[in-house]
Amino acid sequence: MDARLEAIRDTVLARNPGEAEFHQAVTEVFESLGPVHDRHPEFLEAAILERLCEPERQIIFRVPWTDDAGRVRINRGFRVEFNSALGPYKGGLRFHPSVYLGIVKFLGFEQIFKNALTGMPIGGGKGGSDFDPRGRSDAEVMRFCQSFMTELYRHIGEYTDVPAGDIGVGGREIGYLFGQYKRITNRYESGVLTGKGISWGGSLVRPEATGFGTVIFTQEMLKTRGTSFDGRRVVVSGSGNVAINAVAKAQSLGATVVACSDSSGYIVDPAGIDVALLRQVKEVDRARLKEYSVRRGGVSYVEGGSVWDVDATVALPCATQNELDGDAAAKLVRNGLLAVGEGANMPSTRDAVAVFQDAGVLFGPGKAANAGGVATSALEMQQNASRDSWSFEHTEARLTEIMVGIHHSCAATADEYGDPGNYVLGANIGGFVKVADAMLAQGLI
Ligand code: NDP
């Protein structure tokens, strides 16, 4: 890392103790940014990096609710409003027991650059809670969401901060959150949340967008080697929103997705995953992935194992951060891996990224490859602002155009900075320069 940046990074780490994931995300971005500061000393003079690493606002609040037995429960809510240089804060809410400030800050920090790469007018933010919706009844989830929004509502708005879903927050949760926002404010402010249901202000393609976008980005990477998804054997991790739609899109392009996972284990379906059955099990019945193997013959279920033990030429990690380490990466490379498209945020450890890059594997980092979700959220905001509703075809065409554009801009930036094919460098520099320029223009705030 450039010595000037390393000194700033060390101060950031010391000022934010115990936030391992935030440290990791900051370090990974700083490692790319030395050459930009050689060309733009004004960024250093204006302390752009120091300002970027300090969220504009961080909100932490108590979320009290009662479970079905009448027992009082207390969770912690977060919203980190990281950077508004390019637009209102934008980023999802994550409900998962592992959520703490370090996770929310890593996600919010990544979101700044991702949102810049989309070319849409959106700043970066992220939020969530250590609440675990798994195993909770609909009524419990509703009471939790209502309590969460009873505090959050005063901080968000169409021109201020626009949350969406993430792990543990899907259409059901967004519905309860939106309902409570509307009730408290007495405003039908569609643009305050994205990921809404289609009949009440949502956008077609938003549910599919992150998974579809990841596959579109990966397809663009494959094209640079004169190949495609057609006929390829693919492994996906996770079996939530991003994973299911990545499976669907990859198979629509002729791939066979042979495996996917949840936090309990993974399935191997050599004939290719039956997407309709997977949706039924996970999205309708809200069952565990194991149930898929019970209902479909010829499928094995491996309890507790790593899905990366399954060989493939394309890997799409779509579950969670740091789910793919250096050893798993080395095994995938030995098994003939050609490309990785990150559907999740920071799923590959820094060791894993180094293994992929050293082996010449095409590697699409999350902040570029999974930007289709937030880009389509921005399209949802656009439809809300104009009180319009676009067709599936039109919205999907816009998503494709945006993902192809992100791929192009990452590749062009990597070329410009003398490291062709390095999408990590291209994404970090491309996103950073847009935000830094806007921050310079807007003065010391
Ligand atoms: P979902 O809650 O729909 O699904 C998450 C999936 O990942 C589930 O299969 C879950 O398994 C698995 N998972 C979660 N945590 C862990 C863990 N600690 N260990 C192993 N598996 C885990 O979330 P999404 O699909 O929305 O999000 C997946 C990833 O994509 C996240 O990194 C998210 O930040 C990122 N992302 C999502 C976007 C979106 O539009 N939704 C946009 C951009 C990025 P289990 O059920 O067992 O917990």
Side-chain angles (χ1 to χ4, degrees):
M1 185 186 298
D2 182 294
R4 298 163 300 177
L5 273 57
E6 192 166 13
I8 301 170
R9 194 276 316 257
D10 289 348
T11 307
V12 172
L13 265 52
R15 278 171 60 79
N16 298 277
E19 298 175 359
E21 296 81 3
F22 178 53
H23 297 177
Q24 184 182 341
V26 167
T27 301
E28 187 259 327
V29 169
F30 275 38
E31 275 171 345
S32 301
L33 298 183
V36 181
H37 289 85
D38 294 336
R39 291 191 194 181
H40 296 281
E42 69 275 19
F43 291 160
L44 282 173
E45 282 157 29
I48 294 292
L49 282 175
E50 290 89 332
R51 285 154 64 191
L52 254 178
C53 292
E54 189 66 29
E56 291 176 14
R57 193 173 298 105
Q58 309 185 52
I59 304 141
I60 304 180
F61 51 99
R62 181 173 65 208
V63 188
W65 56 285
T66 46
D67 66 18
D68 285 345
R71 193 174 143 203
V72 173
R73 304 273 182 166
I74 306 294
N75 284 98
R76 190 171 289 169
F78 300 89
R79 187 71 185 166
V80 173
E81 298 179 335
F82 228 118
N83 191 290
S84 61
L86 299 183
Y89 311 106
K90 182 88 197 85
L93 298 169
R94 175 177 293 191
F95 292 169
H96 191 273
S98 63
V99 168
Y100 76 108
L101 189 59
I103 296 251
V104 181
K105 281 171 68 179
F106 119 64
L107 291 164
F109 187 70
E110 292 276 293
Q111 198 83 46
I112 302 169
F113 307 101
K114 179 189 308 191
N115 293 3
L117 286 170
T118 66
M120 312 295 281
I122 41 179
K126 199 82 187 189
S129 174
D130 57 359
F131 171 72
D132 188 356
R134 282 175 306 184
R136 291 287 170 202
S137 69
D138 284 354
E140 288 176 318
V141 170
M142 182 177 74
R143 286 196 293 276
F144 174 81
C145 288
Q146 290 177 339
S147 181
F148 185 87
M149 184 54 85
T150 300
E151 173 59 32
L152 186 68
Y153 89 94
R154 67 189 89 244
H155 306 290
I156 62 175
E158 169 176 15
Y159 296 107
T160 318
D161 183 356
V162 184
D166 190 81
I167 290 177
V169 178
R172 172 182 61 170
E173 290 76 16
I174 293 292
Y176 295 146
L177 291 164
F178 183 72
Q180 184 73 350
Y181 181 86
K182 182 164 66 73
R183 184 184 192 193
I184 295 172
T185 61
N186 194 30
R187 282 165 62 85
Y188 205 111
E189 190 183 331
S190 300
V192 72
L193 288 173
T194 58
K196 299 180 294 296
I198 194 63
S199 62
W200 43 279
S203 173
L204 288 168
V205 191
R206 178 61 189 91
E208 295 85 0
T210 308
F212 276 24
T214 300
V215 171
I216 297 166
F217 187 94
T218 308
Q219 176 90 334
E220 290 302 302
M221 292 199 298
L222 291 168
K223 279 188 197 165
T224 67
R225 301 261 171 101
T227 184
S228 72
F229 267 100
D230 195 22
R232 297 215 164 271
R233 185 178 153 97
V234 176
V235 169
V236 172
S237 66
S239 49
N241 171 272
V242 180
I244 292 172
N245 291 296
V247 172
K249 186 71 174 176
Q251 297 203 145
S252 77
L253 295 176
T256 305
V257 182
V258 295
C260 69
S261 62
D262 63 12
S263 58
S264 308
Y266 66 90
I267 53 134
V268 180
D269 189 342
I273 288 169
D274 176 340
V275 177
L277 177 59
L278 186 61
R279 285 194 194 282
Q280 179 67 36
V281 169
K282 296 294 300 184
E283 295 180 339
V284 181
D285 302 339
R286 295 185 186 275
R288 303 298 294 161
L289 181 61
K290 186 179 184 181
E291 181 63 21
Y292 176 94
S293 63
V294 173
R295 295 192 203 170
R296 181 160 154 99
V299 171
S300 49
Y301 175 73
V302 182
E303 183 95 35
S306 166
V307 74
W308 308 121
D309 289 344
V310 182
D311 66 289
T313 53
V314 180
L316 302 174
C318 297
T320 194
Q321 66 277 352
N322 293 327
E323 51 156 315
L324 201 171
D325 64 14
D327 290 343
K331 186 175 281 182
L332 283 165
V333 167
R334 277 199 304 278
N335 286 338
L337 189 73
L338 178 62
V340 178
E342 291 190 327
N345 285 308
M346 209 168 71
S348 311
T349 64
R350 289 177 64 220
D351 286 352
V353 177
V355 169
F356 293 141
Q357 291 188 324
D358 289 348
V361 168
L362 293 163
F363 178 74
K367 62 171 76 69
N370 71 34
V374 75
T376 309
S377 275
L379 300 179
E380 182 173 333
M381 292 163 72
Q382 211 173 318
Q383 292 168 75
N384 294 150
S386 58
R387 304 195 188 289
D388 200 355
S389 183
W390 302 346
S391 69
F392 193 96
E393 292 69 26
H394 175 69
T395 317
E396 193 181 21
R398 287 285 291 124
L399 169 65
T400 303
E401 191 179 17
I402 291 167
M403 294 314 298
V404 170
I406 294 173
H407 175 271
H408 175 78
S409 93
C410 292
T413 305
D415 287 349
E416 184 190 336
Y417 281 85
D419 196 353
N422 186 340
Y423 293 96
V424 173
L425 185 94
N428 286 338
I429 293 183
F432 171 76
V433 169
K434 276 188 194 162
V435 179
D437 281 342
M439 288 174 73
L440 268 187
Q442 292 170 20
L444 182 56
I445 53 170

